[in-house]
Amino acid sequence: MPADNPPSVPPVDLLVIGGGINGAGIARDAAGRGFSVTLVERGDLAGATSSCSSKLVHGGLRYLEQYEFRLVAEALAERETLLRMAPHLVWPTRFVMPHVPWLRPRWMIRAGLFLYDHLGGHHADSLLARSVSVRLDRGPLHAGLQDRYRHGFMYSDCRTDDARLVISNARDAARLGARILPHTELVAARRSGGLWQVQLAGGETLQARAIANVAGPWVKQVLNQRLGVPSADSLRLVRGSHLVLPRLYPGEHAFILQNDDRRVVFMIPYEGRFTLLGTTDVPETGDPLRPQATAEEAAYLCAAAGRYLQQAPRPQDAVWRFAGVRPLYDDGSGDPAAITRDYTLRLDSHQQAPVLSVFGGKLTTYRSLAEQVVDRLAAALGQRRPAWTERSTLPGGDLPAGGLEQFVAQQIAPRFPWLPAPLCTALARRHGSELGGLLGDARSLADLGEDFGGGLCERELEWLIAREWARSADDVLWRRSKCGLHMTPEQRQRVARRMGG
């Protein structure tokens, strides 16, 4: 049982358990409403599911077949919100769906895309173009495809940098007064005297008036074992694996490919030189902290792409494999692909000191989920300020109307003309309007310190350590940046040595 804090230490209003996208979003929302907040995460921020997604902010076109209209409508509305909140981290992409008549008739796809265009409240000021029919047997869309695909459809969704979206939310939460504690595990917490008495790894104790349990795959384990609160809710852990391959086709459009099992697979331009291929839906029976993309999943993804491309990719061509575990709310579905992606909020407040647990959820809807969580907890904590995040901007997101390209052309390139264009673009995508502050008074590449390769310089590395809680080479190379993809093994080792690993 955790010991009570001395009376001189005031309790925190909200303890957030979990440093993924939902936890970071809740911490930011609550801190911005005037609540005192502490977030604890046993590993790195975005260290699990939230850095291993398909890197999409989207409505989920295939969820329409499962009649998830509410979820799709919410996600489509949030897609527009996130585009405005973080235009450097969320950007529009056109998706091409080749038509395969024996899988889905043309009228069905047209009807689905009509709903997709309108469910989220498509307005005249939308940043995204509507869906259209396209020819695939000529022009740039034909490049790389087999000749048998003549017709298709094109619609809009968004790509994102999932891990940086988490970091950006955590940084803004900290700016608003939240205490962010990665690499800090919750040992135990119990209710006593109308408060949560909390013990953290390392011996620190604190008191909290309320807890948000956002531990992802471990949400029920935390609830039952660490908090001592029984729960009848269940999770289904579903693994989604991805391959990163050398570019499979030219162009900046993505593909959504219908598969013979009626699932879909995405091919997405990635980090300039690569294509991201994913994802699978496989029950995870191992350690959700270290999921592995299996040989069978790699073969499945390559076969799905090979049905459409002139040259099928091979698993051995992948330069990177990663897998994430989706903690889906168990709705009783026998097919992992059909389990709802919607979220369920469970509030336990039979005594004072409530705990609200989040089951399920998806990257795209994290902001609205966080708003609902704080709304419900505010009823117990006492309302401070109203909800505020819908019209807010994340750090680096206050770009000019012309977006990232105009920002680079008008504000960065004239001030730092010696900065190579590819490096400038990559840094701007990671840091947005904060790039000028990162570069500071640098007047040459030499002023940025050691060049580690892959687009990573010493000055950015120091920024990631000082401002973004980076501790290890993996934190830097595969989450806060994807520079590891562009490095040699020797270059990655140099970063590891610099980080003390």
Side-chain angles (χ1 to χ4, degrees), residues 455-497:
L456 180 69
C457 64
E458 187 172 7
R459 182 166 295 196
E460 185 183 19
L461 181 63
E462 291 173 350
W463 175 286
L464 301 179
I465 294 170
R467 299 176 183 239
E468 298 189 2
W469 302 279
R471 289 193 183 183
S472 72
D474 280 356
D475 296 351
V476 171
L477 299 180
W478 303 106
R479 285 187 282 277
R480 286 155 186 80
S481 81
K482 300 301 179 289
C483 293
L485 269 176
H486 307 281
M487 288 179 165
T488 65
E490 293 75 17
Q491 289 171 329
R492 292 194 287 266
Q493 279 297 319
R494 198 158 85 238
V495 176
R497 287 194 296 270

Side-chain angles (χ1 to χ4, degrees), residues 438-452:
L438 185 153
L439 296 173
D441 59 357
R443 296 183 179 181
S444 69
L445 280 173
D447 289 339
L448 299 182
E450 183 176 356
D451 179 4
F452 292 98

Side-chain angles (χ1 to χ4, degrees), residues 131-153:
S131 59
V132 294
S133 298
V134 292
R135 292 293 297 264
L136 301 179
D137 55 352
R138 56 178 181 250
L141 297 181
H142 177 65
L145 284 179
Q146 296 175 19
D147 292 337
R148 60 175 171 160
Y149 297 105
R150 302 178 58 193
H151 300 279
F153 305 87

Side-chain angles (χ1 to χ4, degrees), residues 1 42 63 76 107 164 170 174 177 184 202 248 309 312 328 352 375 422 425 450 461 496:
M1 177 73 70
R42 68 175 176 178
Y63 304 149
L76 290 172
W107 68 263
R164 290 209 62 79
T184 304
L248 297 179
L309 296 174
L328 305 180
Q352 291 179 311
D375 280 346
T425 299
E450 183 176 356
L461 181 63

Side-chain angles (χ1 to χ4, degrees), residues 84-105:
R84 291 178 168 86
M85 282 176 60
H88 59 310
L89 299 178
V90 180
W91 60 99
T93 300
R94 293 294 267 170
F95 283 73
V96 174
M97 176 188 287
H99 182 229
V100 184
W102 58 90
L103 291 179
R104 291 173 179 87

Side-chain angles (χ1 to χ4, degrees), residues 165-323:
L165 197 60
V166 176
I167 297 297
S168 189
N169 275 272
R171 288 187 62 223
D172 210 33
R175 179 187 67 84
L176 293 164
R179 188 180 179 210
I180 308 297
L181 300 177
H183 304 283
T184 304
E185 186 171 7
L186 174 82
V187 175
R190 294 293 183 269
R191 290 173 168 125
S192 177
L195 296 170
W196 285 101
Q197 311 294 333
V198 181
Q199 181 179 342
L200 304 178
E204 180 180 352
T205 61
L206 59 86
Q207 296 175 320
R209 299 175 60 207
I211 288 177
N213 173 19
V214 206
W218 302 274
V219 62
K220 186 161 182 177
Q221 176 183 331
V222 166
L223 193 61
N224 293 347
Q225 299 177 18
R226 304 297 173 92
L227 305 183
V229 176
S231 171
D233 294 300
S234 296
L235 282 178
R236 295 277 292 279
L237 302 183
V238 176
R239 185 173 64 250
S241 293
H242 303 78
L243 304 180
V244 177
L245 298 131
R247 270 283 192 157
L248 297 179
Y249 61 92
E252 285 304 303
H253 57 284
F255 281 96
I256 178 172
L257 307 176
Q258 302 175 79
N259 209 6
D260 290 348
D261 59 5
R262 298 191 65 81
R263 292 198 68 256
V264 297
V265 169
F266 291 104
M267 291 194 301
I268 305 167
Y270 193 63
E271 287 290 309
R273 301 189 294 120
F274 304 99
T275 297
L276 177 63
L277 185 61
T279 178
T280 58
D281 279 302
V282 179
E284 177 59 66
T285 57
D287 182 358
L289 188 61
R290 296 176 180 83
Q292 300 295 319
T294 65
E296 291 77 13
E297 288 174 287
Y300 171 89
L301 293 172
C302 288
R307 293 185 182 95
Y308 292 85
L309 296 174
Q310 293 174 12
Q311 184 171 350
R314 304 177 304 169
Q316 59 266 37
D317 296 331
V319 298
W320 184 29
R321 297 183 184 188
F322 65 88

